[in-house]
Amino acid sequence: MCHHHEESFNPFNKDLEIVQKQLDRRAFLTKTSLGLGAMALGSLLGTSHLFGKGNPAVEDAARVETFPNFLPKAKRIVYLFQSGGPSQLDMFDYKPQLEKYQGQDLPASIRRGQRLTGMSADQAIFPVASSLFKFQQYGDCRAWVSELMPYTAEVVDELCFIKSMNTDAINHDPATTFFQTGNQIAGRPSIGSWISYGLGSDNDNLPTFIVLVSKNAGGQPLLARLWGNGFLESKHQGVQFRSGKDPVLFLSNPEGYDGTDRREMLDYLKNLNQLQHDTYGDPEINTRIAQYEMAYRMQTSVPEVTDMSDEPDWVYDMYGKDSRNPGTFAANCLLARRLLEKDVKFVQLYHQGWDQHSDLPAGLKPQCLNTDQATAALIKDLKQRGLLEDTLVIWGGEFGRTVYSQGKLSKENYGRDHHPRCFTMWMAGAGVKPGFTYGETDEFGYNITKNPVHVHDFHATMLHLFGIDHEKLTYKYQGRRFRLTDVSGKVVKDLLA
Amino acid sequence: MILSDAAIFFGRFHPLLVHLPIGFLLLAVVLAVLGRREKYQSIQPAVSFSLLAGTICAIVACATGYILSFNGDYNEDVLTIHMWGGLCTATVSAIAYLVSIKKISLKFLQTSKALLVTLFIMVALISFTGHFGGTLTHGPGYISSDLLFAKLAIKKQITDINEAVIYDDLVQPILEKKCSNCHNSNKKKGELSMESYLTLLKGGKNGVIVEAGHAEKSEMIKRVNLDPKDEKYMPADGKPPLSEEEKSILTWWIEKGGASITKKVKEAGATAPIKKDINNYLGLQKSDPSEEEALDSSSIYFAQLKVPKVSEQQVNTLKQEGYIIKFINLKPLLLDVTLPENLNESSNSVADKLNKLLALKENIIWLNVSGNNISDTHLVQISQFKNLQRLRLDKNPISDIGISKLQSLANLESINLYNTKVTRQSISILSPLLKLKHMYVWGTGIKKEDIAVSRDSTKIIMGVN
């Protein structure tokens, strides 16, 4: 037990005063020059501006807010990121014509000398590989889905397919970074951070932006910067929950400590931090104060939301047997639903292992098996609880895969290389058209023939659903204003319900 | 005459260097005139120095100008006048210098008068030469009194864009603003002049630049749409590029307007997007914000709602009491309010909480009281939130009796009744609410059979399928 501070906090503590007197050269120069500048500015502006109007009571509460720019449709989002580049040609983008060209070299008129990765660029032939999997139409919207995704096929009338997604990057890290931050080079804030920065939290007891990575899939590495805050305040960064039984560590009190005076300890710590903030004005100190408080509240809120013992058996059955195994994609989907129920604004799932360069049929099957049922279950579960009304669900990877086989094509085996020119994603829920397909690709599934949707357009549309004009959500850093959509992006109005 | 790259390099300094003699020589005039006063006598000696500096610079400017004259596509006639003007200016300034140091004296005049006369001639020559130099660089009429009135005149003319003549009112002003500085009858870069309709159609050294009906084949359109880093990109040399609207107007004129000189906007069959571009270009009207932001009719309805102002203090007080309040529209201020779930809430306490919210009842359009032990009596309070668009009542012990209180919520689009005690009666109770699109009824007394026979079956949702 630590010592109780009965007396109130005293900022005029002797030791503190000594520290404060130790002004170094840099601090002296900073303070004096800024001070002089401020004085000069003050005299320019006149006293009324310098000291304000003397009446701190603000009449209009909306005066200080900037966002949303218009009435939103979505209140929260769950983004099921399929890392590695799922093969659109074997799952959603049905190309029956391909059988005709099976094994033939991809025509130059289709390939058009476009960039390939170093992994297949030197191939003597680019043999067209039609999908080994059977496709069928489902739902009232008659969407084509392959036999790999039987559960997703059940919910197609809720989904809004975009078959004409395209990206600038051809390799995993830049492509994933591009999708998650709007830029191929690391360092910009992630989508979740931008939304947290623009709209804030709907639940003070849980982080605004939570990340769940499946434990049951290996593959291309994922780095924490994909959910990083970039140059935004660090309180906007994604909080990763561990994929295991204990999603957040050290929430329980250590042995021998009953936690009764933690509140008091935090208050004292807060005062110290506040003092530092008053001296230096670094906003990161405020973030630190807020994070201590958040951690304190998470001691009760996290066990409550992650303890799934109150879920009935039929829920587990709906999400599949993996959902009883914490940290799997299925269990993460279920946890995501629980977080969304608590109004966590942004839940980001990552599932790796979609990078089938070779042995695609054998590789793709388990990927689909591990994700299909839980994905569909999440849609169904959100729908029946009425949460699909204002929750946006997104499914997709960083790019698609080529129509030609990487490596040897045989009757029952092929591989596919990275393909950024076109691939399929879907959205569902808040504000998007259900049972709708947008965009078309050519008969080889190689180029877009109608309604392309670029990553920037996708981001712009996403922000639009949250009531944000993507051109207005900016942050000034190093002398220029940055946006999630950089200098591009158009809202795809046809996707909006 | 073929010049080396180095010579061209120096030649291009002419437009820069030419301002030095102008400055020095005019300074000399100012010094000479002021120096005649007793008070400023002390500056007299500086006159000859200024003249010398000006003369040297004038000679350098002449030399660089001569080199440059081989390199630009300049109008020959104007060029000749400018060249001789420049040479005369240099000569006269040299004479003025010699007069000022008394090497030459005109017998019939006093020296001081002689200097003033020479200086006067020199100023006249500078103005004359400068004018033609400006004409070479910027085209004729670059500085003209029209400028003062032109903008007003154009805007007055066009009140109805349908009646605007595409070439005269739209295309020509764009070309004049962005192109004809370099492509005019005096300065024909690439042997192209855009000054008139005829010369525009004639094209330049690479042939025709406008192919009526085929914008994609027209060199003019191709060039402005290139990557700005491309060598062939126009406008060249970092001059202001065409705006998206300007590009779209030119493209449309060639494509649908047949690159005609007489066609009016209405005759070319203007679609809504091009009309918007034209309006934006002319600054006639702000484009409709709802179209810009792709808002649906419901969002527009709420954006135009008249609601009372809310003070910051009001919101903050409620937040401190545990309400979650989010702003979902700023003007007018519309709110999304959530009561954090509390399944053990007492009936009185929840009534109290709802009462406090009534102060904001017109501003709240999304209300979430899920899992708060809400019973039928509380729905009387909720029915007063007349602007509600979305209402979450799930996980509460409410029944059809309570639902009947909600008939006043005419703006309701979505109601969540999951895990409540309502039955199929609620379906018919709520059917007069015309805007209601979604009614979530999973885990209630409503059965699948009830939905099948209901008139409102499309909006009743139990789950997928």
Side-chain angles (χ1 to χ4, degrees), chain A residues 58-76 154-155 157-158 199-204 314 341-343 345 379-381 383-390 464 469 472 491 493 496-497, chain B residues 276 291-296 298-299 302-303 309-313 315 319 324 326-331 333-334 336-338 341 365-366 368 389-390 392 394-395 413-414 416 418 438 440-442 461-465:
Chain A
V58 179
E59 270 311 297
D60 189 356
R63 195 187 56 93
V64 287
E65 300 283 329
T66 324
F67 299 103
N69 306 106
F70 37 84
L71 199 59
K73 297 284 178 207
K75 205 173 152 167
R76 48 192 114 66
E154 289 175 18
V155 298
D157 282 334
E158 302 300 326
L199 298 176
S201 175
D202 294 345
N203 181 343
D204 292 338
W314 65 262
E341 275 184 312
K342 298 280 177 201
D343 277 339
K345 202 162 224 26
I379 296 279
K380 289 179 190 171
D381 210 4
K383 173 108 180 185
Q384 63 196 5
R385 285 164 207 265
L387 290 170
L388 208 54
E389 174 87 17
D390 47 8
H464 180 91
D469 178 345
K472 293 191 179 137
V491 175
K493 293 172 190 172
L496 307 177
Chain B
K276 202 176 105 191
E291 191 186 311
E292 191 83 346
E293 287 164 355
L295 297 182
D296 54 325
S298 158
S299 300
F302 281 101
K309 276 198 171 174
V310 175
S311 78
E312 200 166 298
Q313 207 184 357
V315 174
K319 275 184 180 171
I324 296 167
K326 300 293 288 183
F327 296 174
I328 47 174
N329 200 70
L330 301 179
K331 276 177 194 169
L333 185 66
L334 304 179
D336 165 19
V337 176
T338 301
E341 188 171 291
I365 66 162
W366 296 359
N368 175 6
Q389 183 192 28
R390 295 177 180 177
R392 280 185 61 183
D394 49 304
K395 296 183 252 176
E413 290 176 24
S414 158
N416 192 336
Y418 150 61
H438 297 141
Y440 297 91
V441 298
W442 180 56
I461 297 161
M462 291 192 101
V464 175
N465 302 332

Side-chain angles (χ1 to χ4, degrees), chain B residues 164-173 175 196-198 200-201 210-214 218 220 249-265 267-268:
Chain B
V165 178
I166 308 171
Y167 178 78
D168 285 343
D169 296 331
L170 302 169
V171 174
Q172 179 56 29
L175 298 180
S196 74
Y197 182 69
L198 287 178
L200 175 70
L201 287 200
V210 172
E211 280 195 41
H214 299 284
S218 299
M220 178 169 86
I249 290 170
L250 292 184
T251 311
W252 172 74
W253 172 63
I254 295 175
E255 195 77 42
K256 301 274 187 264
S260 147
I261 191 169
T262 52
K263 258 196 190 160
K264 290 180 179 174
V265 170
E267 291 162 352

